[in-house]
Amino acid sequence: MQKNNLIKVAAALSLMSAAGVAQADTMRIAHGFPAQSIVDDTFKTLAQHVEENTDLDTEVFALTVLDLKQASPGLTSGVADSTMLLTAYFPSEFSEQNFVADLTMVANLGERPTSIGATVGGALMEYVTIQCPECVEQNLAQNQIGLAFAPGSQFSLLCKEPISSVADVRGRAIRGPVSVFRRWAETMGASPITISANEVFDGLNQGLVDCTINAVGEMSNLSLFDVVGGITPGMPGGTFGGSGIGQLNLDFWLSLSLEDRKAVARGMSKATAFMVTGYMKQEVIDLQTARDQGIAIVEADPDLKSATEAFIKDDIETIKAIYRDDFGLEKVDEKVETFIGLLEKWKALTDPLDPTDTEALTELYWTEIHSKLNLETYGLN
């Protein structure tokens, strides 16, 4: 751990035990997604849990206080106590988490998981909170702690017109949410485009992009039904691993009693499960809505599936090289091996579950992850 972070840890621990530390009375939640989206409903679920199990009041602000690019600095400075942090928007600050978040497509090698969100979410949370002290250190450096990640369903091609083959993909302008999906697009012969989630509607509407790679549930979340003409479910697959639903301001966390921390942590298990299962439910709804509106639902052909599997295998080494050479990460081979092992573990744990069973997934996340954290010291060492 860097010297300045060690000093900060010591100062924070001192604050924990100091008399007269101000107890927070309100949990301010601000996120960069529209009201009544899955993310907004997720934070309302968290807020309700917190209010029912602590003396805290809560406030939830949807796309009014912080947008997606303001989430981390806003949380660091205390504008909000909790936010939805998309770690890929902050590549250097959260490089350790982004490293494994870029490996979500690996979950599809072999048998695809019943719910990639449940599998990847469990693997990411266990890795970041239990297996990766460097991840904790990077959060601490931003005056934050990370408790939960809630990936969505399998990423799909949401396009202005139907796409099902490598030939269809070739030459298209395709928006990839993170670099791994932009590399996939480039490998398939497309032109990768970088715009934020808040800009996807305008990008499709104005013809700046031909497709966006997102979970099908984003059709509702980002209001895309009027600008999408074709959906290719599960292609290229994978999901957005950097969806930090459980990101908290460190000062807020330190102000909580141990019982309140436990309540918030359990609330994170519940919120994560709510969002993961919510995306699975929303995918079914949005696919039916798309059919009803005449949007084509097409399956990727065998050649596109084979080309994608080959890309996933090759890209593991590319990801290692990027984070080792560009971000200075150490022991990348060991970290990849650990994370792939966690993907297999969580595939086995989540595959037997109904992918829409929020309660069962909540209990699994609580039992396997959040209940095992030492909440007196978590985030500080």
Side-chain angles (χ1 to χ4, degrees):
M1 196 178 278
Q2 298 296 320
K3 181 178 179 181
N4 62 330
N5 284 342
L6 281 169
I7 294 171
K8 190 165 186 177
V9 169
L13 286 168
S14 176
L15 280 172
M16 290 173 64
S17 59
V21 173
Q23 172 78 30
D25 56 14
T26 302
M27 183 176 183
R28 297 161 300 155
I29 302 168
H31 64 81
F33 282 80
Q36 300 178 333
S37 63
I38 292 176
V39 174
D40 190 47
D41 289 344
T42 297
F43 276 117
K44 288 175 180 176
T45 297
L46 172 63
Q48 181 179 353
H49 176 90
V50 169
E51 290 199 354
E52 290 175 350
N53 292 277
T54 73
D55 292 329
L56 293 168
D57 293 325
T58 62
E59 296 176 320
V60 180
F61 302 96
L63 197 54
T64 54
V65 175
L66 298 175
D67 65 22
L68 297 175
K69 293 180 179 179
Q70 296 167 333
S72 185
L75 194 65
T76 296
S77 63
V79 171
D81 303 314
S82 176
T83 193
M84 173 68 157
L85 178 67
L86 305 187
T87 58
Y89 286 9
F90 309 96
S92 298
E93 294 90 334
F94 300 101
S95 57
E96 292 284 353
Q97 294 170 209
N98 288 328
F99 177 42
V100 292
D102 276 356
L103 294 166
T104 67
M105 294 180 81
V106 177
N108 286 333
L109 295 178
E111 291 293 323
R112 283 197 166 198
T114 302
S115 167
I116 193 168
T119 295
V120 172
L124 276 168
M125 286 190 291
E126 182 170 344
Y127 183 84
V128 170
T129 61
I130 298 173
Q131 302 283 354
C132 179
E134 299 94 336
C135 299
V136 175
E137 180 184 350
Q138 286 190 334
N139 276 293
L140 176 61
Q142 301 303 315
N143 197 39
Q144 299 173 27
I145 68 163
L147 281 173
F149 290 84
S153 54
Q154 293 277 5
F155 268 0
S156 303
L157 288 168
L158 314 179
C159 303
K160 293 179 70 64
E161 59 185 58
I163 283 181
S164 62
S165 67
V166 174
D168 290 339
V169 174
R170 190 174 299 120
R172 305 284 184 172
I174 297 181
R175 180 259 178 182
V178 292
S179 59
V180 59
F181 298 103
R182 293 191 286 273
R183 288 196 299 275
W184 173 85
E186 189 171 28
T187 300
M188 300 301 135
S191 298
I193 302 296
T194 304
I195 57 175
S196 75
N198 297 132
E199 300 168 306
V200 167
F201 178 91
D202 288 339
L204 287 165
N205 190 44
Q206 296 171 13
L208 300 176
V209 297
D210 298 306
C211 301
T212 183
I213 298 173
N214 281 102
V216 172
E218 303 295 7
M219 292 289 291
S220 289
N221 290 333
L222 301 177
S223 305
L224 301 181
F225 287 104
D226 291 337
V227 293
V228 167
I231 299 174
T232 314
M235 177 54 58
T239 187
F240 188 83
S243 48
I245 196 76
Q247 206 73 9
L248 296 169
N249 173 274
L250 178 63
D251 299 321
F252 168 77
W253 179 253
L254 291 176
S255 78
L256 300 179
S257 68
L258 183 58
E259 284 305 307
D260 283 354
R261 290 181 198 176
K262 182 177 179 180
V264 170
R266 190 167 182 88
M268 290 302 180
S269 294
K270 185 174 185 178
T272 304
F274 179 92
M275 184 164 158
V276 168
T277 57
Y279 267 104
M280 296 299 291
K281 297 170 187 175
Q282 195 65 49
E283 178 170 311
V284 174
I285 295 170
D286 282 6
L287 284 174
Q288 187 57 54
T289 301
R291 293 187 185 97
D292 293 344
Q293 294 190 11
I295 297 172
I297 312 299
V298 298
E299 182 179 356
D301 71 13
D303 287 345
L304 184 54
K305 290 179 180 178
S306 295
T308 298
E309 183 171 340
F311 166 80
I312 295 170
K313 293 176 180 177
D314 292 343
D315 200 54
I316 294 173
E317 295 304 317
T318 301
I319 292 168
K320 289 180 185 179
I322 289 171
Y323 282 91
R324 181 185 60 240
D325 299 341
D326 296 349
F327 294 97
L329 266 63
E330 299 177 350
K331 300 180 180 179
V332 292
D333 291 330
E334 295 175 25
K335 290 174 180 176
V336 167
E337 184 178 354
T338 297
F339 188 68
I340 290 176
L342 288 173
L343 286 174
E344 292 304 312
K345 170 186 173 178
W346 279 93
K347 195 184 294 189
L349 286 171
T350 58
D351 274 358
L353 302 181
D354 176 345
T356 63
D357 190 337
T358 305
E359 184 176 345
L361 190 57
T362 296
E363 289 306 308
L364 183 61
Y365 285 156
W366 173 251
T367 301
E368 292 291 329
I369 302 169
H370 292 124
S371 69
K372 295 181 178 180
L373 300 179
N374 182 341
L375 298 179
E376 287 190 276
T377 59
Y378 175 70
L380 299 173
N381 54 19

